[in-house]
Amino acid sequence: MSKENGNLTVFGQETEFDGVLEFTDSLVITGKFHGTIKATGDLDIDRSAVCDVDVMNAESIVVSGKVTGRIEASERVELCSGSRVKGDIKTARIRISDNVEFEGQVSMLSEVPDIDIFSVASAEYKDALIKKTDEAR
């Protein structure tokens, strides 16, 4: 999940955080989180994680644990097998595996990237976005 040339931070299983969290690179939560997440990076909610949020906002969010609250991702949301999500999701792309407990509504963003983000590596996807932006100029 870590971005090329980016930092990866891990909140361990013994970590409990309550408040507003902002970050720009990649974060993995394996402990407990309560509050709001405002991020421009990638977020991974581990199997052991329990998150109760007002809103969780990041580029890419992968949920393997338990999340209660609104999820918003500009690129994609992935709900992995065994995850439990109670709340609305707003994203450009979504993947829901088998054996997921999901209660809420899904809203799709109107501008979807031209490339299939689930079939390429993060670096390839980032390069495609940069090239598309440069061509538009």
Side-chain angles (χ1 to χ4, degrees), residues 11-136:
F11 279 10
Q13 288 185 350
E14 303 300 317
T15 303
E16 292 187 28
F17 187 96
D18 189 353
V20 177
L21 177 63
E22 297 183 28
F23 63 92
T24 57
D25 288 325
S26 297
L27 175 69
V28 177
I29 297 176
T30 63
K32 294 180 181 177
F33 180 88
H34 182 271
T36 300
I37 297 175
K38 300 175 186 177
T40 57
D42 297 331
L43 177 61
D44 190 348
I45 308 301
D46 191 71
R47 268 188 207 289
S48 60
V50 177
C51 298
D52 183 11
V53 298
D54 299 317
V55 65
M56 175 184 290
N57 189 312
E59 281 185 15
S60 170
I61 300 173
V62 177
V63 179
S64 299
K66 181 179 178 184
V67 174
T68 303
R70 195 169 77 236
I71 297 174
E72 298 178 357
S74 59
E75 291 183 12
R76 73 181 180 109
V77 171
E78 184 171 354
L79 305 182
C80 300
S81 181
S83 63
R84 297 186 308 177
V85 175
K86 185 175 183 179
D88 295 340
I89 298 173
K90 184 174 186 177
T91 186
R93 306 243 180 183
I94 188 164
R95 175 179 283 172
I96 302 176
S97 298
D98 292 338
N99 194 29
V100 170
E101 291 181 34
F102 172 61
E103 181 181 330
Q105 295 182 345
V106 176
S107 300
M108 303 304 289
L109 296 174
S110 58
E111 291 189 31
V112 179
D114 291 337
I115 190 168
D116 180 9
I117 60 175
F118 293 108
S119 67
V120 297
S122 296
E124 290 175 290
Y125 181 70
K126 186 177 177 181
D127 288 342
L129 287 178
I130 291 170
K131 288 176 187 172
K132 183 177 179 182
T133 304
D134 289 343
E135 289 172 3

